[in-house]
Amino acid sequence: MSAGVKVGAVIITMGNRPDELRALLDSVAKQDGDPVQVVVVGNGSPVPDVPEGVRTVELPENLGIPGGRNVGIEAFGPGGRDVDILLFLDDDGLLAHTDTAELCRKAFTEDPALGIISFRIADPDTGVTQRRHVPRLRASDPMRSSRVTTFLGGANAVRTQVFAEVGGLPDEFFYAHEETDLAWRALDAGWMIDYRSDMVLYHPTTAPSRHAVYHRMVARNRVWLARRNLPAPLVPVYLGVWLLLTLLRRPSGPALKAWFGGFKEGWTSPCGPRRPMKWRTVWRLTRLGRPPVI
């Protein structure tokens, strides 16, 4: 049934992990079935040497993660329409199995309502999946596949029809929460999202706070996410819950200062178009186990 389903892959790179990038490209080339078409986007940097047949785009400046991925989408035609499915993979990741592309073809073919698949991320040495890499509140069992309300940015597959209907990732976010913004818009348009434990991307265990802009971007984009997507009565509830959770986690003084700076910036800076989700989407999110207040 999935014969003829075209799969592409978008990989963005800063050019500083050439060995890891080459290993990832090799793992994509080894996928079963028809070859996966690949575009590597140099996000403000030259693209290292890549195998023959891999297309490259070099951007003069760093557009951030969503901006770079959007350029990769458009490399497959407007909204990625030249292919049916796009994989988005971190450049220091590695597809663990050769059947991932075929599993994606099968999943999207068998479930017409499925719009996005979130892969399981596992450490290549230990095989451990961090709780934060399971995109649901009940994250204790990473081996359980389920419907979810968001997805992992560097380890996923998206039906390109989703982009045609709801648009791409929010360029202005630069880093953090861009996946949830797209996920909420997709769910509001009637699409579903699956977390699949059998589709695995190996990725070294890291802490997101390694990024210097982490605390500011997380707070700013959380506010933008709410302002753009939530019905007005839920905006203060959602942000109030996240303010409380942030304080309960007792971040360091500098981290908390950066977080509050980002929180303020989220209210005082433009966030892009506001398209509040329908109340029936709020109910759908709630039934899926994650109401949009947390």
Side-chain angles (χ1 to χ4, degrees):
M1 292 173 60
S2 60
V5 176
K6 297 178 182 178
V7 179
V10 173
I11 301 164
I12 60 173
T13 183
M14 299 291 291
N16 55 351
R17 295 190 280 236
D19 294 338
E20 292 89 340
L21 174 61
R22 188 59 181 249
L24 171 62
L25 292 172
D26 289 345
S27 73
V28 174
K30 293 175 182 175
Q31 291 299 298
D32 301 333
D34 293 337
V36 176
Q37 303 173 45
V38 181
V39 169
V40 177
V41 178
N43 212 356
S45 68
V47 175
D49 289 338
V50 296
E52 185 177 352
V54 174
R55 288 185 286 163
T56 62
V57 180
E58 294 185 350
L59 302 177
E61 62 178 311
N62 183 355
L63 299 183
I65 293 173
R69 287 184 176 141
N70 282 337
V71 169
I73 294 169
E74 295 302 306
F76 289 96
R81 67 184 182 190
D82 294 345
V83 293
D84 303 296
I85 301 165
L86 277 175
L87 312 181
F88 295 87
L89 308 170
D90 277 350
D91 68 341
D92 56 346
L94 184 77
L95 289 174
H97 310 300
T98 62
D99 64 350
T100 302
E102 280 289 88
L103 287 173
C104 287
R105 291 185 180 100
K106 185 172 185 289
F108 285 116
T109 300
E110 293 181 350
D111 186 353
L114 180 61
I116 303 171
I117 299 174
S118 189
F119 301 165
R120 180 167 64 90
I121 293 180
D123 184 272
D125 297 320
T126 65
V128 171
T129 296
Q130 295 177 276
R131 286 184 64 93
R132 69 184 183 88
H133 284 153
V134 182
R136 59 179 178 240
L137 291 179
R138 296 177 180 177
S140 59
D141 183 8
M143 300 306 295
R144 179 173 66 88
S145 299
S146 69
R147 294 283 201 200
V148 290
T149 61
T150 188
F151 63 99
L152 306 175
N156 68 80
V158 181
R159 190 192 299 266
T160 52
Q161 190 178 344
V162 173
F163 298 126
E165 290 190 16
V166 307
L169 296 156
D171 287 341
E172 53 269 70
F173 278 42
F174 197 85
Y175 166 79
H177 301 318
E178 66 272 6
E179 303 91 355
T180 300
D181 186 88
L182 176 61
W184 283 1
R185 285 183 283 127
L187 288 162
D188 198 45
W191 295 102
M192 301 302 292
I193 305 170
D194 278 356
Y195 166 73
R196 289 283 297 265
S197 64
D198 56 336
M199 301 182 190
V200 182
L201 184 85
Y202 284 146
H203 189 282
T205 298
T206 56
S209 55
R210 70 190 185 280
H211 299 290
V213 297
Y214 172 77
H215 296 286
R216 180 176 70 86
M217 292 287 194
V218 161
R220 183 198 68 181
N221 292 359
R222 183 78 71 184
V223 177
W224 281 358
L225 181 68
R227 289 175 58 196
R228 286 164 59 98
N229 295 287
L230 290 182
L234 294 185
V235 172
V237 179
Y238 177 81
L239 295 176
V241 168
W242 278 104
L243 172 61
L244 178 61
L245 287 173
T246 299
L247 295 174
L248 289 174
R249 290 167 178 169
R250 304 180 67 181
S252 67
L256 193 59
K257 182 179 179 181
W259 193 93
F260 274 109
F263 192 80
K264 179 181 178 181
E265 184 182 351
W267 287 107
T268 58
S269 57
C271 65
R274 173 167 166 76
R275 299 187 182 95
M277 66 177 64
K278 307 173 189 73
W279 282 104
R280 69 168 177 252
T281 305
V282 173
W283 176 236
R284 173 185 286 185
L285 288 162
T286 303
R287 286 189 292 112
L288 288 171
R290 189 156 197 164
V293 294
I294 186 169

